Amino acid sequence: VLEEWLETELLRPGFRVKATEADFTLQLPQSGSQQVTIRVKADRIDEDEEGRTILIDYKTGAPQSFRKWLGERIEEPQLPLYAVAAGLSELDVVTYGRVRTGQMGFEGLSGEGSGIKGVTACDGKRGAPDDWDAVLQLWREQVNALAAEFVAGRSEVAPRDEKACNYCGLESICRIEERGFVSDSGEES
């Protein structure tokens, strides 16, 4: 597995490892009288020859998609949170490093072409957003909004989408149907 991963790394443009298991501490929401301390640890941070920061989180499971980082409510908030914590800018890269036999590679987003196979530039093509800086700003807003809800004690039922209801397991006490969101999976409980 290690040899296969190193072969994948060799396909990248030149870089240096700046940090492994980089610790970040955030006070969220970033504005407000009440905050919560969040500590995160990014697996690796590299810097390429162009000076771009490349934030990498290793995954051994099934392939992930950057599309789970986009939308009104983020489906997979881990890397967007890391990007906020690291203070990434419009030239930087956020990516999963998929370490899985036979499926090694990167899956991520960047502000411009990074030369890393599997990292999609925000150019409006291939289903990618067209403005990386706007994505980073949206992530900051969403992370701060979620933290603000948490410190305010908000805990209403608010599934991100219908799929969340398929895995919840609290159907007997859930009142989401009363609020107008009906999960119709075609199965009876």
Side-chain angles (χ1 to χ4, degrees):
V1 171
L2 182 58
E3 286 178 11
E4 190 178 349
W5 178 252
L6 292 175
E7 289 175 21
T8 301
E9 289 275 29
L10 285 172
L11 298 175
R12 291 176 51 191
F15 67 92
R16 70 178 184 88
V17 177
K18 282 178 55 175
T20 57
E21 297 190 1
D23 289 310
F24 295 99
T25 301
L26 292 143
Q27 296 294 320
L28 295 174
Q30 291 172 323
S31 63
S33 59
Q34 292 185 334
Q35 295 179 316
V36 63
T37 301
I38 305 290
R39 290 184 181 85
V40 296
K41 188 176 288 203
D43 289 341
R44 192 167 109 195
I45 298 177
D46 294 348
E47 182 176 77
D48 71 8
E49 293 171 336
E50 305 294 322
R52 282 187 284 267
T53 296
I54 303 165
L55 192 147
I56 303 170
D57 185 61
Y58 296 110
K59 298 291 182 196
T60 58
Q64 301 288 323
S65 171
F66 67 80
R67 287 171 184 80
K68 291 185 175 187
W69 305 337
L70 305 173
E72 189 176 324
R73 286 180 61 192
I74 300 171
E75 185 174 345
E76 294 288 340
Q78 182 182 13
L79 282 174
L81 177 62
Y82 290 1
V84 171
L88 296 188
S89 71
E90 62 187 29
L91 300 177
D92 298 330
V93 177
V94 176
T95 186
Y96 288 120
R98 189 178 60 253
V99 182
R100 185 176 181 151
T101 302
Q103 297 181 0
M104 301 288 180
F106 293 94
E107 298 164 63
L109 282 174
S110 64
E112 58 184 34
S114 64
I116 302 172
K117 184 179 179 184
V119 172
T120 302
C122 288
D123 57 9
K125 301 174 184 170
R126 300 167 310 282
D130 61 0
D131 186 344
W132 181 229
D133 198 42
V135 170
L136 293 171
Q137 179 59 33
L138 180 64
W139 288 352
R140 284 187 288 274
E141 290 169 6
Q142 290 178 333
V143 163
N144 278 287
L146 186 59
E149 289 178 12
F150 178 79
V151 297
R154 290 186 54 196
S155 62
E156 64 269 359
V157 177
R160 188 186 53 75
D161 60 27
E162 187 174 323
K163 291 187 299 185
C165 294
N166 293 336
Y167 302 101
C168 175
L170 298 175
E171 297 86 356
S172 62
I173 62 171
C174 182
R175 299 175 66 190
I176 195 67
E177 291 180 12
E178 293 174 18
R179 295 186 55 208
F181 181 81
V182 179
S183 175
D184 183 14
S185 64
E187 298 176 21
E188 290 190 28
S189 300

